[in-house]
Amino acid sequence: MKYKILVLDFGSQTTQLIARRIREQGVYSEINPCFVSLEEIKAFNPSGIIFSGGPSSVYDKDAPKIDPKIFDLNIPILGICYGAQLISYLLGGKVEKSNKREYGPAYIEILEENKLLKGLGKGNKYKVWMSHSDRIEKLPEGFYTLAKTEHSPFAAVAHKIKPIYGVQFHPEVAHTEIGLQIFKNFVFEICKCQADWNMPSFIEKTVEEIRHKVKANERVICALSGGIDSTVTALLVHKAIGDRLIPIFVNNGVLRKNEPEEVLKLMKELGLKVHYVDASAIFLEKLKGVEDPEKKRRIIGETFIEIFEKEGKKFEKVVYLAQGTLYPDVIESVSFRGPSVTIKTHHNVGGLPERMNLKLIEPLRELFKDEVRKIAEVLGLPKHIIWRQPFPGPGLAIRIIGEVTKDKLDILREADAIVTEEMLKSGWYYKVWQSFAVLLPIKTVGVMGDYRTYEYVIAIRCVESQDAMTADWVKLPYELLERLSNRIINEVKGVNRVVYDISSKPPATIEWE
Ligand code: XMP
């Protein structure tokens, strides 16, 4: 790709949407934290730079800033909200510190139809989305106003000569009806980009980069889970260096019914020579007697690292570890605001590259899930992998409440397989975020034939969600719930009661542990 837009993140909740909107135009865009150096920016060679919004006030002691020399690079710049205030502040304008927030819809009036607002028509009014407390009060020298709202006299501004622009509203959110037009104008009219980003071009560029990076005698290892991210990562590396990639698949004993066999079969079909390690006995031994959810996660994570390290050492000249890190994983770890409170530990295999002294290859680290799905399609992955529901790293261990034993795993595997089968059959599987069974640590009384039974309870969890941050339980049809209950009670030995979880997230979480 010749054309690239660099988004500098000043901490806004919607920064990732900016990169998305640009990439939707067919132009590659990447997000970096705002503290990257000018040298790094120059090396990236962007056609344009966007400063994102952010929660700070430019007057805060620890407010994120940027080297003002960036304005001398003669690369077009667009500041959004905090980004616009920062431009104004750094170039000698005035920002008004305010405790009042302007939040929600507002109407801007176009005063000047320059390149940024091309096609919007002088005098027209449009609905935009605002979310700010401070605002620009006086423009720096050389700037003029393009649009205003009732409360923001400088809702869109531009430099008279230099390609520097600012908007007080958020063009990246869907509520700003002219947002797309503004990004199009910035990217094509101002930055003079051409649309040369698509999935085949991304694959080609990535494969080329990996080929270039890994020397002829070096090897790469990667951990395969059978999920889309690790599979796509492995395929990209495999395309670049063939069997110098060593994909390692560790069976941790808490996988779903038939999962190891199915993963191995698929990998073979995809041409990957997988190094398979059945470590289920080791994992189960370590989980013996452990009831605490976080402790289970830790044990599974640590044991995985130990085994992976041991297996990796069986191969010579391994220099790289390929990982299927996606952009949302990256922002969670580099957000300059610091990490948020841990509700559940999700970093299943953190620390591996340092321990093994390996360098990282992360071909998907700029991408969102739906973009990875598009790549998977181009690479020819089957639909059931591309659209598979998420499955947690610690697997069934966090769906067996309390101690994990082989007997309980057998029960849960059967019940879970019935849930998946019925969800697929009824067409609901792909409509929901996740649907699965949970084994509760209690037994209840039942009656079967003339006999009293005293057996386990299975809970069914089925949620809809956009990003797993919030979720709601799905109102599945009674007939489907009835079938699930009947089948589980009749077919799974050891279960005599099924309940349906009707809790939303928050306050409940999706997984039970
Ligand atoms: P919660 O239970 O926190 O789950 O509402 C949100 C999403 O994350 C998945 N999840 C995990 N994924 N390791 C993972 O890789 C974990 O330890 C883990 N815990 C939860 C969960 O399935 C849901 O999609």
Side-chain angles (χ1 to χ4, degrees), residues 28-250:
Y28 184 63
S29 173
E30 207 172 295
I31 302 172
N32 280 10
C34 55
F35 45 75
V36 287
S37 67
L38 276 188
E39 265 46 56
E40 283 169 294
I41 293 175
K42 279 192 228 160
F44 183 72
N45 192 21
S47 312
I49 300 173
I50 297 180
F51 296 176
S52 83
S56 311
S57 160
V58 288
Y59 296 111
D60 288 348
K61 208 166 89 245
D62 58 353
K65 301 267 167 56
I66 189 122
D67 187 340
K69 288 200 197 83
I70 195 167
F71 299 113
D72 302 329
L73 297 178
N74 206 26
I75 299 171
I77 292 176
L78 171 65
I80 293 174
C81 197
Y82 176 82
Q85 293 156 15
L86 187 66
I87 293 174
S88 171
Y89 173 82
L90 291 175
L91 294 178
K94 233 178 169 178
V95 175
E96 184 188 55
K97 192 157 175 50
S98 151
N99 295 323
K100 270 193 273 143
R101 279 176 75 77
E102 189 184 8
Y103 184 83
Y107 285 88
I108 61 159
E109 184 184 339
I110 311 290
L111 303 175
E112 281 290 338
E113 199 189 2
N114 88 337
K115 278 185 189 168
L116 187 70
L117 305 182
K118 191 176 163 190
L120 297 178
K122 194 171 169 174
N124 285 345
K125 285 191 169 178
Y126 298 96
K127 195 161 144 193
V128 297
W129 195 260
M130 292 283 194
S131 172
H132 64 101
S133 43
D134 294 3
R135 59 172 204 190
I136 300 171
E137 195 194 303
K138 186 171 152 276
L139 286 180
E141 224 178 279
F143 278 78
Y144 68 112
T145 316
L146 305 177
K148 64 171 186 185
T149 68
E150 193 185 341
H151 297 292
S152 296
F154 306 112
V157 302
H159 192 276
K160 285 177 193 151
I161 304 158
K162 296 182 184 175
I164 306 175
Y165 301 82
V167 289
Q168 180 60 71
F169 54 90
H170 287 270
E172 69 275 21
V173 304
H175 308 284
T176 297
E177 53 188 12
I178 52 169
L180 220 51
Q181 186 61 42
I182 289 180
F183 282 126
K184 271 189 187 159
N185 287 344
F186 181 69
V187 169
F188 298 116
E189 298 292 327
I190 296 168
C191 302
K192 304 282 180 219
C193 293
Q194 285 172 24
D196 63 353
W197 149 264
N198 53 40
M199 289 314 160
S201 75
F202 173 82
I203 293 173
E204 202 178 303
K205 162 191 158 268
T206 308
V207 168
E208 201 43 56
E209 276 172 7
I210 298 170
R211 201 174 282 149
H212 193 71
K213 196 167 181 177
V214 183
K215 297 203 189 80
N217 61 343
E218 293 176 339
R219 289 165 128 176
V220 180
I221 51 172
C222 76
L224 269 187
S225 68
I228 180 170
D229 305 342
S230 65
T231 307
V232 168
T233 301
L235 285 176
L236 288 173
V237 180
H238 190 253
K239 255 178 170 306
I241 60 165
D243 290 340
R244 281 189 288 133
L245 168 76
I246 301 150
I248 301 180
F249 174 45
V250 178

Side-chain angles (χ1 to χ4, degrees), residues 293-294 297 343-348 389-395 398-399 433-434 436 461 463 465 467-471 505 508-513:
E294 281 298 289
R297 276 196 172 76
I343 309 285
K344 294 179 183 181
T345 312
H346 280 210
H347 302 285
N348 308 313
Q389 293 175 1
F391 184 63
I398 54 167
R399 294 180 181 170
W433 178 264
Q434 269 171 307
F436 55 86
R461 182 77 164 138
V463 295
S465 173
D467 52 12
M469 302 296 285
T470 60
K505 172 181 180 175
T509 49
I510 296 177
E511 304 287 348
W512 277 42
E513 285 198 335

Side-chain angles (χ1 to χ4, degrees), residues 451-462:
Y451 294 98
R452 173 187 187 273
T453 59
Y454 187 57
E455 293 177 327
Y456 284 116
V457 181
I458 284 282
I460 296 172
R461 182 77 164 138
C462 178

Side-chain angles (χ1 to χ4, degrees), residues 259-473:
E259 196 166 359
E261 297 79 8
E262 281 167 15
V263 171
L264 288 174
K265 183 167 164 274
L266 174 72
M267 296 308 150
K268 202 167 164 199
E269 284 163 13
L270 293 171
L272 296 178
K273 288 201 184 114
V274 176
H275 178 68
Y276 175 60
V277 191
D278 183 357
S280 43
I282 303 174
F283 278 88
L284 293 192
E285 183 57 34
K286 294 210 178 189
L287 286 170
K288 222 178 218 166
V290 181
E291 292 187 355
D292 179 68
E294 281 298 289
K295 208 163 164 200
K296 287 193 212 171
R297 276 196 172 76
R298 241 187 352 263
I299 290 173
I300 293 172
E302 283 166 12
T303 310
F304 179 86
I305 289 178
E306 277 165 27
I307 290 171
F308 190 81
E309 193 173 8
K310 188 168 140 237
E311 295 299 322
K313 284 194 175 140
K314 292 183 178 167
F315 299 90
E316 283 177 6
K317 304 255 168 36
V318 175
V319 179
Y320 291 95
L321 173 75
Q323 271 186 344
T325 319
L326 303 194
Y327 181 68
D329 312 324
V330 178
I331 34 168
E332 260 184 35
S333 48
V334 300
S335 161
F336 76 97
R337 295 259 117 197
S340 50
V341 197
T342 304
I343 309 285
K344 294 179 183 181
T345 312
H346 280 210
H347 302 285
N348 308 313
V349 294
L352 233 167
E354 296 83 0
R355 256 179 83 145
M356 295 184 70
N357 198 19
L358 293 174
K359 292 187 256 182
L360 271 179
I361 291 182
E362 296 180 308
L364 311 179
R365 64 176 282 129
E366 299 301 329
L367 304 187
F368 296 97
K369 194 79 176 189
D370 59 319
E371 292 174 319
V372 177
R373 290 202 167 110
K374 284 191 194 135
I375 294 180
E377 252 168 46
V378 178
L379 292 173
L381 252 66
K383 178 185 169 198
H384 70 271
I385 296 295
I386 299 179
W387 294 101
R388 203 163 79 146
Q389 293 175 1
F391 184 63
L396 299 183
I398 54 167
R399 294 180 181 170
I400 291 174
I401 311 307
E403 188 188 1
V404 179
T405 63
K406 181 161 180 315
D407 290 349
K408 287 184 181 174
L409 275 166
D410 287 343
I411 292 176
L412 183 58
R413 277 201 181 104
E414 292 305 319
D416 188 67
I418 291 173
V419 174
T420 303
E421 201 182 311
E422 289 298 333
M423 290 295 288
L424 278 167
K425 242 201 267 173
S426 60
W428 277 90
Y429 180 89
Y430 294 113
K431 288 190 210 156
V432 305
W433 178 264
Q434 269 171 307
S435 48
F436 55 86
V438 179
L439 181 66
L440 307 193
I442 46 164
K443 290 190 170 184
T444 68
V445 172
V447 54
M448 237 178 222
D450 292 333
Y451 294 98
R452 173 187 187 273
T453 59
Y454 187 57
E455 293 177 327
Y456 284 116
V457 181
I458 284 282
I460 296 172
R461 182 77 164 138
C462 178
V463 295
E464 52 193 12
S465 173
Q466 291 300 318
D467 52 12
M469 302 296 285
T470 60
D472 199 6
W473 60 281

